[in-house]
Amino acid sequence: MTFLMRRASMAAYGWALATLLATAPLRVASLSAQPVSAPVSAPAAARVTVNHAAFDSLLRVHVTDGLVDYDAFRDAAAFRGYLASLARASLAGADDEEQLAFWINVYNAYTIQLIVAHGERESIRNIDRTLGVLRLKGPWSEPLVRAAGRTLTLDDVQHRIIRKDFHDPRIHFALVSAAKGSPPLRSEAYTGAALDAQLFDQGRLFLKDTTKNRIETKFPRLSPIFTYYRADFGNSRSELGSYLATWFDGDTKKKLESGRFGMRELPFDWSLNAKLLTR
């Protein structure tokens, strides 16, 4: 029963009791002789969560400073079990934070699985090439994702679910395309309860990594991510600057908030974010 329904029920009970006392005085003595218990509040509804503990444990052991031991994921039965659990998962009743955490974990886990399935150890862009040329849709169009009872591609997860439904630019600091130019893969799974703090920290890690962004310099240079997804960060350079300023202070913060900064890109490093070579 919802909070509002409980309130309505209590109100109806009070009205009925008042009517009874006014119209049936002989019953008052009988009623008053009975012990009256304080109303008991219904317990608050439990937060619906999806269990990412297996993925969390794997990430803590096999990801260091954003670099991934893909061979360890390949060999881990727990990883295969986690992927199977994603296929069976239900998001019914889950709040927005829990759902977003779920889909970020889905994207990152299945990107690892894509690399593992193809045995790729140089670059994700080597997958689904024809005569050395990357196909139009590339590796992100493989329908390998099984999640919440659906069969999807990585593009579906990123563009048709996460970007379309959640409208939080920080997701670009959390989705990892198996490349060194991407934000670092976090050594823990995302959860609904911790999501806001995790996304903010991801922004800090990505924006202050000078191999990917050089913002605290006289002539800032940004990751191509801010060009690819320009509309997600605002409609102008000043809006982008105001957004990025959240993670900075002092003169850098003022410069970003003013909108007077360069938009030159740093090259994006597509080499695999691998920690170890194939054993």
Side-chain angles (χ1 to χ4, degrees), residues 244-265:
L244 298 179
T246 304
W247 285 272
F248 296 90
D249 52 26
D251 290 340
T252 300
K253 185 180 186 72
K254 292 178 182 176
K255 176 171 60 179
L256 290 169
E257 289 177 334
S258 73
R260 295 191 294 272
F261 59 92
M263 284 287 291
R264 291 192 303 163
E265 291 182 1

Side-chain angles (χ1 to χ4, degrees), residues 126-136:
N126 288 338
I127 296 172
D128 291 336
R129 283 181 178 268
T130 302
L131 299 177
V133 178
L134 186 66
R135 292 180 187 171
L136 181 61

Side-chain angles (χ1 to χ4, degrees), residues 47-50 52 94-102 191-193:
R47 180 174 192 154
V48 175
T49 61
V50 179
H52 300 288
D95 61 21
D96 286 350
E97 290 79 9
E98 192 66 37
Q99 292 187 49
L100 180 52
F102 174 83
T191 65

Side-chain angles (χ1 to χ4, degrees), residues 29-100:
S30 175
L31 287 170
S32 62
Q34 301 300 317
V36 178
S37 300
V40 178
S41 298
R47 180 174 192 154
V48 175
T49 61
V50 179
N51 189 349
H52 300 288
F55 192 39
D56 186 82
S57 296
L58 290 163
L59 291 169
R60 290 179 187 277
V61 175
H62 301 308
V63 177
T64 304
D65 297 328
L67 300 179
V68 184
D69 184 346
Y70 285 100
D71 295 327
F73 277 93
R74 177 196 63 198
D75 298 337
F79 183 53
R80 296 188 291 275
Y82 175 67
L83 296 180
S85 76
L86 294 178
R88 299 189 302 268
S90 171
L91 297 178
D95 61 21
D96 286 350
E97 290 79 9
E98 192 66 37
Q99 292 187 49
L100 180 52

